[in-house]
Amino acid sequence: MKAFLVVGAITSLTLHSSALPDVIPPSTEQDPNDVMTKLQAMSTQALEDAEGAIGRRVPNTCSLRLVSSTLESQTAAVAHNPIPREHMSVPMRKNYIQAAQCLYDSPSKLGAQHGWPTKSRHDDFVAVHVNMTMTIHNTGNFLGWHRYFLHSYETALREECGYRGYMPYWNWFAHRDDVTKSPVFDGSSTSLGGDGEFFYHNGSLGGALAIPLPSGNGGGCIKEGPFAGQKANIGPLLTVFAEFPTVKDIFVPNPHCIRRDLSSYTATHFMTTEMLWNVTLGTASVTIKMLQEELQGGKYPGHFGLHAAGHFVLGGDGTDLFSSPNDPAFFLHHAMVDRIWWIWQALHPTLAATIEGTVTLNNDPPSRNATIDDLLDTKGLAPPVALKEVFSTLGGGPLCYAYV
């Protein structure tokens, strides 16, 4: 079996056969959180074995040995471990919230340059995502572009707003039965706000409007917690229920409160053990093409991937393909998407640097194939880098982190 570590370029190494032992697919009754814990351990072991095989030939720029074990014990400027939100200390949660709110309160840096109606620094991130939507979803660069987008957001939190930690992730598989109990959404002073105010709507439609979802208990403005009543200025451009008005494009300013309709129905029906296994070691993990199609969702009628499901667990602003970064939980959601890809890369090292797809959403309009040398364009959020530079999170590019 092989695993990889990137230091300047992808390096494949032959490992001991024990690095990735034969595993039996879990039963559908097994808790996906337990399965995720095992997959995490397998991935870390594979990378540790690869690093051990390289030994002293690895430059001390970034490695698992240099990446510290918790957010609070960071010492290196770039080495860090993203951790689940529920494992962050109270001071670090509050520090993260203060930094995220700082971006909402700070003036835009990109609006005047691009002619966007952005008012805040957070709007800059929303506007970039809106502007790039048709070239970063169901494309060959989907996973890599969003990985770099997260890096850009984390950098802004740290360098512009005094955040001392690193990008946490929302563990989808905890609190599936009642999403409002998650430390991300429980409405407490250390959460990212709770559900929306009750707003009558007759359900919503996901999966290219082919998957009917029942209404939750929200639908209106975030009602409690640090982001209660938080305003956004861009979008939404697509609606998931008729009572949520949209705008026609990014150039139409639309000041509005951020809406949520937290959906435990979506979490329990689509964030399952079967779906997790399928994209990591199951049938959909065999190629990057199959992984992307299964993870993103929308490829098959009536099918949600884990990525799409996360957006529809959020409801409201979080469901808009274009302006979903309006909701601060977008970034924790995509950190979990990135974690899935990170695990897949560790467990499928010979495929870790592969891509599949064109440069337009669902190849519409028809376009060329994406390449690993394509530049990741964030419209000024961060310097352009080649897609291949973000394949590894352990050196050789702008990234240095490992998931725990």
Side-chain angles (χ1 to χ4, degrees):
M1 205 68 187
K2 295 181 178 180
F4 82 103
L5 174 68
V6 175
V7 182
I10 293 291
T11 304
S12 295
L13 298 167
T14 301
L15 301 180
H16 299 297
S17 59
S18 61
L20 291 177
D22 291 335
V23 289
I24 300 173
S27 68
T28 55
E29 289 77 22
Q30 190 169 350
D31 190 291
N33 210 28
D34 294 337
V35 176
M36 192 68 179
T37 299
K38 294 175 182 177
L39 290 167
Q40 175 71 53
M42 292 171 63
S43 304
T44 301
Q45 185 63 56
L47 293 174
E48 286 177 349
D49 287 351
E51 198 165 280
I54 296 176
R56 294 184 179 180
R57 291 185 289 117
V58 180
N60 282 332
T61 53
C62 178
S63 68
L64 286 174
R65 297 186 183 100
L66 292 179
V67 175
S68 45
S69 60
T70 67
L71 278 171
E72 284 79 5
S73 65
Q74 310 297 334
T75 55
V78 293
H80 62 283
N81 278 352
I83 65 173
R85 177 76 180 183
E86 57 263 35
H87 292 173
M88 293 175 75
S89 69
V90 169
M92 287 308 298
R93 291 187 196 187
K94 290 184 176 180
N95 182 223
Y96 180 88
I97 290 166
Q98 290 166 355
Q101 289 175 325
C102 164
L103 292 181
Y104 283 102
D105 295 336
S106 300
S108 167
K109 293 184 177 181
L110 299 181
Q113 174 185 344
H114 296 288
W116 297 332
T118 51
K119 301 297 183 184
S120 72
R121 185 62 169 143
H122 187 96
D123 285 347
D124 286 346
F125 286 86
V126 181
V128 167
H129 192 270
V130 171
N131 188 270
M132 300 296 297
T133 288
M134 304 305 289
T135 58
I136 57 171
H137 296 97
N138 290 352
T139 51
N141 67 359
F142 165 71
L143 291 167
W145 190 92
H146 282 84
R147 175 174 280 180
Y148 195 50
F149 188 57
L150 287 178
H151 172 71
S152 305
Y153 181 75
E154 178 192 276
T155 300
L157 289 175
R158 290 172 57 80
E159 296 183 357
E160 300 175 34
C161 289
Y163 181 46
R164 299 186 302 275
Y166 297 90
M167 194 68 229
Y169 58 86
W170 160 30
N171 180 9
W172 303 321
F173 304 112
H175 309 284
R176 288 188 311 148
D177 293 338
D178 188 350
V179 178
T180 65
K181 295 294 193 295
S182 165
V184 183
F185 304 113
D186 63 12
S188 68
S189 63
T190 60
S191 72
L192 297 190
D195 203 355
E197 293 278 2
F198 178 73
F199 180 88
Y200 177 78
H201 56 287
N202 189 24
S204 59
L205 294 172
L209 304 182
I211 303 176
L213 300 170
S215 301
N217 296 317
C221 305
I222 297 174
K223 64 183 179 180
E224 57 188 352
F227 293 91
Q230 179 66 55
K231 302 296 183 182
N233 296 297
I234 296 172
L237 279 72
L238 293 177
T239 184
V240 296
F241 49 86
E243 298 85 354
F244 196 173
T246 62
V247 294
K248 64 180 180 179
D249 60 47
I250 189 176
F251 298 105
V252 178
N254 184 33
H256 67 283
C257 66
I258 297 171
R259 296 191 182 199
R260 277 193 192 141
D261 188 27
L262 296 176
S263 174
S264 295
Y265 174 90
T266 304
T268 54
H269 283 73
F270 298 100
M271 292 175 162
T272 63
T273 299
E274 181 180 11
M275 294 186 73
L276 170 60
W277 186 262
N278 200 21
V279 296
T280 50
L281 286 173
T283 56
S285 71
V286 176
T287 66
I288 186 63
K289 180 178 186 294
M290 296 174 69
L291 167 71
Q292 290 177 159
E293 290 177 352
E294 182 71 11
L295 182 60
Q296 291 182 86
K299 179 68 175 180
Y300 313 106
H303 171 70
F304 262 153
L306 289 169
H307 162 247
H311 283 284
F312 280 88
V313 169
L314 294 176
D317 277 89
T319 64
D320 182 26
L321 177 66
F322 294 86
S323 63
S324 50
N326 273 327
D327 191 321
F330 168 95
F331 297 93
L332 274 72
H333 166 52
H334 264 276
M336 185 66 170
V337 173
D338 186 63
R339 184 187 180 206
I340 294 289
W341 184 32
W342 185 88
I343 287 173
W344 179 85
Q345 287 179 302
L347 299 181
H348 302 270
T350 59
L351 302 174
T354 59
I355 62 170
E356 175 72 29
T358 67
V359 294
T360 51
L361 189 149
N362 293 330
N363 196 33
D364 184 17
S367 60
R368 66 171 177 83
N369 287 332
T371 75
I372 64 173
D373 294 309
D374 288 343
L375 293 181
L376 298 176
D377 182 9
T378 61
K379 300 298 179 185
L381 290 175
V385 299
L387 176 55
K388 63 186 177 185
E389 294 299 313
V390 300
F391 283 147
S392 172
T393 68
L394 289 170
L399 309 176
C400 184
Y401 66 88
Y403 284 96
V404 296

